[in-house]
């Protein structure tokens, strides 16, 4: 088998384990920790995720998301997310559970909580509640309403595994926050996803 075939087989095995965890234990922090453990085993097979399999072209800006697996009903979607140094994403939620683990490079996560009561549409005041840099051998878990921002630190391109309970193209109600203005807006579902 070539690398892609080996990767596809390992991904299929991983997704089967993750499906089983969610179906038997539900969506809660403990279950997501178990899912993270399964994903970390996959990410440890770094030879299956060579950086040149996940290029960032000039037309791509500073990042590309590659689909590794997605069920027919758009559940259990796994991506290889690759980004160049300097890439950042404003604070946002996912509206589905998410687990991110590192393969190559560092991705700094900052976590937030709402500081306002949510009663005013478009107003969203955040306070920082934690931070963690995802690198090889580590990961983070996010419940549907958890809020984080990401920042590619260091001088290396990143390739990380991003696992979602529902595919990115289906997430039409995600909220992105402007921490300086204290506001938020709904941002469109990601559509520019390439096949690995």
């Amino acid at each position: 088998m070539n690398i892609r075939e080996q990767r596809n087989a390992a991904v299929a095995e991983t997704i089967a384990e993750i499906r089983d965890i969610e179906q038997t234990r539900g969506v809660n922090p403990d279950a997501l920790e178990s899912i993270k453990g399964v994903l970390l085993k996959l990410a440890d097979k770094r030879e299956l995720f060579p950086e040149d399999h996940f290029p960032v072209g000039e037309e791509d800006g500073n990042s590309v998301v590659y689909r590794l697996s997605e069920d027919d009903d758009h559940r259990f979607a796994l991506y290889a997310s690759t980004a160049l140094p300097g890439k950042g994403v404003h604070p946002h939620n996912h509206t589905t559970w998410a687990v991110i683990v590192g393969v190559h490079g560092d991705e700094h996560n900052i976590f937030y909580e709402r500081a306002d009561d949510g009663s005013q549409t478009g107003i969203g005041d955040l306070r920082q509640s934690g931070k963690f840099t995802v690198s090889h051998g580590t990961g983070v878990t996010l419940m549907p309403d958890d809020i984080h921002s990401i920042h590619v630190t260091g001088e290396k391109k990143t390739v990380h595994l991003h696992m979602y309970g529902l595919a990115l193209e289906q997430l039409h109600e995600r909220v992105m926050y402007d921490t300086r203005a204290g506001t938020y807006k709904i941002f469109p579902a990601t559509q520019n996803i390439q096949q690995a």
Side-chain angles (χ1 to χ4, degrees):
M1 284 196 294
N2 65 32
I3 289 177
R4 279 187 172 81
E5 291 168 334
Q6 292 176 54
R7 181 170 66 231
N8 290 342
V11 164
E13 188 178 309
T14 298
I15 297 295
E17 284 189 65
I18 290 171
R19 250 191 239 108
D20 184 61
I21 291 168
E22 198 217 66
Q23 288 166 1
T24 57
R25 296 173 55 190
V27 176
N28 54 67
D30 286 343
L32 294 188
E33 279 296 317
S34 295
I35 289 171
K36 182 175 79 174
V38 173
L39 273 180
L40 284 169
K41 285 191 288 182
L42 177 63
D44 208 34
K45 300 174 181 174
R46 294 173 99 177
E47 70 280 2
L48 299 183
F49 302 94
E51 293 182 53
D52 62 351
H53 280 212
F54 307 101
V56 180
E58 286 184 19
E59 71 284 358
D60 296 319
N62 58 11
S63 64
V64 183
V65 177
Y66 289 90
R67 182 183 291 104
L68 298 173
S69 183
E70 181 182 326
D71 284 7
D72 290 341
D73 61 358
H74 306 300
R75 299 282 333 278
F76 301 103
L78 178 63
Y79 306 94
S81 178
T82 183
L84 301 177
K87 186 232 180 173
V89 179
H90 290 290
H92 61 280
N93 66 5
H94 294 103
T95 69
T96 188
W97 62 262
V99 179
I100 301 167
V101 300
V103 183
H104 303 286
D106 296 331
E107 180 185 274
H108 187 60
N109 284 252
I110 300 175
F111 304 101
Y112 300 87
E113 296 173 345
R114 287 286 292 265
D116 63 301
D117 62 8
S119 62
Q120 287 183 274
T121 302
I123 301 298
D125 192 24
L126 300 180
R127 67 173 156 257
Q128 188 175 322
S129 60
K131 56 187 177 180
F132 187 84
T133 299
V134 175
S135 54
H136 181 246
T138 67
V140 296
T141 63
L142 297 151
M143 291 289 285
D145 290 331
D146 286 347
I147 302 165
H148 78 143
S149 62
I150 57 176
H151 315 268
V152 177
T153 55
E155 298 176 3
K156 279 188 63 180
K157 182 178 93 168
T158 61
V159 178
H160 285 182
L161 300 180
H162 287 224
M163 179 82 214
Y164 297 92
L166 186 64
L168 286 171
E169 296 101 322
Q170 311 302 316
L171 305 180
H172 301 291
E173 298 297 323
R174 288 186 299 170
V175 172
M176 185 172 282
Y177 295 85
D178 182 332
T179 53
R180 288 186 184 148
T183 58
Y184 72 83
K185 62 182 178 181
I186 306 297
F187 70 105
T190 305
Q191 301 297 328
N192 58 336
I193 295 168
Q194 300 187 26
Q195 197 62 35

